[in-house]
């Protein structure tokens, strides 16, 4: 069983990337699960908020990500980069264990929830590049947190409004690309764990 935690970089309820994560839940390989965690209630990263303890929303996010075996991020593209809420979540998840009164779960050896966590990125956008620039930006941020991002396969759902109907991903080439990413993530997580 591979436990994957998903994060949507958009806060909008009807977001294309939220719909993409919902599609992922139905395209997972056998033996994998996906739990999507919310980031909209996180305060802006501020070290002053770490004492005496992190805000409850931050603790909730960290508790959800710590035990994951893999991370899946649906990344929108805002002005050729990643949206502020997603960067904020990464910043909170990158803080070292023990700061803010929260320690790693018993037996956990990673120093942060992100360190060493196998990760895949995908994204949907109305534009022609399908979040390619934002995904590159996100890869750079995750590199500095010690988060191994799967080099491929990749999924860029371009022209996305035409590929979803009623919030469901109906475009077969896009579904095939997403399926390859999910299978790759499960394999990537198993190889890094070995």
């Amino acid at each position: 069983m591979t436990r994957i935690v998903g994060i949507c970089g958009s806060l909008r309820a009807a977001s294309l990337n939220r719909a993409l994560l919902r599609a992922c839940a139905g395209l997972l390989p056998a033996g994998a699960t996906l739990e999507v965690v919310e980031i909209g209630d996180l305060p802006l990263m501020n070290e002053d908020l770490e004492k005496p303890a992190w805000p409850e929303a931050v603790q909730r996010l960290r508790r959800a990500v710590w035990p994951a075996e893999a991370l899946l991020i649906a990344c929108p593209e805002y002005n050729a980069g990643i949206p502020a809420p997603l960067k904020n979540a990464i910043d909170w998840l990158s803080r070292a264990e023990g700061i803010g009164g929260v320690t790693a779960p018993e037996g956990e050896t990673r120093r942060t929830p992100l360190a060493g966590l196998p990760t895949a990125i995908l994204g949907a956008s109305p534009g022609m590049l399908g979040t390619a620039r934002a995904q590159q930006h996100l890869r750079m941020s995750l590199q500095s947190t010690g988060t191994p991002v799967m080099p491929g396969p990749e999924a860029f759902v371009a022209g996305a409004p035409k590929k979803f109907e009623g919030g469901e991903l109906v475009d077969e080439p896009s579904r095939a690309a997403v399926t390859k990413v999910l299978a790759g993530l499960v394999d990537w997580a198993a190889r890094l764990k070995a």
Side-chain angles (χ1 to χ4, degrees):
M1 184 66 73
T2 303
R3 181 174 180 265
I4 304 170
V5 168
I7 294 176
C8 179
S10 172
L11 302 184
R12 208 165 51 88
S15 133
L16 292 167
N17 285 280
R18 191 170 297 279
L20 186 58
L21 275 182
R22 279 195 307 274
C24 288
L27 298 171
L28 290 169
T33 63
L34 175 63
E35 173 196 359
V36 177
V37 295
E38 296 300 325
I39 61 171
D41 59 348
L42 295 174
L44 291 176
M45 174 58 200
N46 178 347
E47 290 182 19
D48 290 345
L49 298 179
E50 292 182 322
K51 297 173 185 171
W54 279 317
E56 178 53 38
V58 173
Q59 293 187 45
R60 174 195 48 78
L61 176 64
R62 291 174 66 89
R63 283 192 302 265
V65 175
W66 266 119
E69 294 170 281
L71 178 64
L72 179 65
I73 301 175
C75 181
E77 184 167 298
Y78 294 1
N79 299 314
I82 63 176
L86 179 55
K87 180 63 167 71
N88 188 50
I90 290 166
D91 290 344
W92 279 117
L93 288 168
S94 72
R95 301 296 287 161
E97 172 230 333
I99 297 173
V102 176
T103 58
E106 189 173 331
E108 181 56 68
T109 58
R110 299 185 337 246
R111 64 178 184 79
T112 74
L114 290 178
L117 182 62
T119 299
I121 304 168
L122 40 68
S125 169
M128 295 185 338
L129 298 179
T131 78
R133 294 174 297 185
Q135 288 189 40
Q136 187 61 34
H137 182 202
L138 181 54
R139 284 175 183 277
M140 290 186 337
S141 282
L142 290 171
Q143 180 180 359
S144 71
T145 68
T147 308
V149 179
M150 185 175 72
E154 299 175 304
F156 308 101
V157 183
K162 295 178 181 177
K163 296 179 179 176
F164 289 86
E165 288 179 9
E168 299 295 322
L169 182 61
V170 295
D171 179 67
E172 285 307 321
S174 297
R175 289 175 65 84
V178 168
T179 299
K180 285 181 184 174
V181 167
L182 296 170
L185 178 58
V186 169
D187 181 61
W188 174 250
R191 283 189 285 141
L192 292 184
K193 189 176 182 180

